[in-house]
Amino acid sequence: MTTKLETLEAGLRNALGDQLQDLTVALGEITILVKAANYLPVMQLLRDHADLRFEELIDLCGVDYSTYGDGAYDGPRFAVVTHLLSMTHNWRLRVRVFAPDDDMPMVASLVNVWASADWYEREAFDFYGILFDGHGDLRRILTDYGFIGHPFRKDFPVTGYVEMRYDPEQQRVIYQPVTIEPRENVPRVIREENYGIK
């Protein structure tokens, strides 16, 4: 571990104290885990603390852990992972928080801490159904307004539920049930059994 990572780890442990649930160092990066109840105060502290100064939110995404470890994982299903950058100290940090309720996953919004979180949180809502408490405009961003479900959830069907097409008779786009029929791919053996053996 480099001196820079050791300095960042010490600063995180000092600043966060009991709010830090877990800290791991892997591949030259630090990941911290915080509880959903502490998420917003921790993120404000990461931005404002003089020893940390994470001025920029680089990325925020949702994660569905329902099939993690080939289904052997037994914990909360949805998480929000945030990547932060300190331009002052030139270091990065990954923050993970699990939503406590799998049926209605919700964590605090970071829009009032970093304005760039706005679109990222909308994307996580659209694709995973994760709600962000305090977000002023939480609506779909990449799927259609009439879209049903959240396509990045592991239990969402690959073909989806509905498809849309243009109907020339009605002169508009219409929605209808999916017409893709499931098919099985059978591998073809191209070579003979003893091909290439002399």
Side-chain angles (χ1 to χ4, degrees):
M1 187 159 61
T2 66
T3 309
K4 186 182 246 186
L5 284 179
E6 290 171 351
T7 306
L8 175 55
E9 182 179 352
L12 288 167
R13 291 190 188 279
N14 267 348
L16 301 179
D18 294 341
Q19 295 178 330
L20 186 64
Q21 194 174 0
D22 188 32
L23 185 147
T24 56
V25 180
L27 304 172
E29 297 178 353
I30 294 181
T31 303
I32 64 171
L33 177 65
V34 296
K35 292 182 179 177
N38 299 332
Y39 183 53
L40 186 57
V42 163
M43 297 307 259
Q44 288 172 333
L45 192 61
L46 290 173
R47 183 193 65 187
D48 299 335
H49 197 281
D51 294 340
L52 302 173
R53 289 274 185 236
F54 287 99
E55 301 100 347
E56 191 171 335
L57 182 140
I58 297 173
D59 190 22
L60 181 148
C61 62
V63 182
D64 183 353
Y65 282 91
S66 62
T67 59
Y68 183 72
D70 293 329
Y73 172 76
D74 184 29
R77 178 176 176 180
F78 296 102
V80 173
V81 178
T82 309
H83 295 260
L84 304 175
L85 170 67
S86 171
M87 293 178 287
T88 303
H89 300 292
N90 191 26
W91 52 39
R92 296 171 185 263
L93 177 68
R94 181 181 300 114
V95 181
R96 181 180 295 122
V97 59
F98 283 95
D101 184 6
D102 291 346
D103 295 327
M104 186 173 5
M106 183 184 295
V107 296
S109 174
L110 300 178
V111 171
N112 293 328
V113 182
W114 294 282
S116 62
D118 183 18
W119 286 69
Y120 294 125
E121 289 178 355
R122 286 181 60 189
E123 183 181 50
F125 163 71
D126 192 3
F127 285 160
Y128 292 95
I130 299 171
L131 301 169
F132 292 89
D133 188 26
H135 192 287
D137 188 21
L138 199 59
R139 58 190 161 104
R140 293 196 180 272
I141 191 169
L142 294 171
T143 58
D144 187 53
Y145 293 114
F147 193 86
I148 298 169
H150 303 283
F152 280 14
R153 287 188 174 191
K154 300 296 183 183
D155 54 1
F156 190 82
V158 175
T159 58
Y161 297 112
V162 295
E163 64 185 17
M164 64 180 199
R165 67 175 178 81
Y166 180 76
D167 186 355
E169 292 174 9
Q170 297 181 33
Q171 295 185 343
R172 67 181 183 95
V173 173
I174 62 167
Y175 294 90
Q176 63 189 35
V178 175
T179 57
I180 300 172
E181 295 189 22
R183 65 179 211 196
E184 292 183 25
N185 291 332
V186 179
R188 291 178 47 191
V189 178
I190 298 172
R191 297 187 180 110
E192 298 171 6
E193 197 169 307
N194 294 322
Y195 179 79
I197 300 175
K198 291 186 180 187

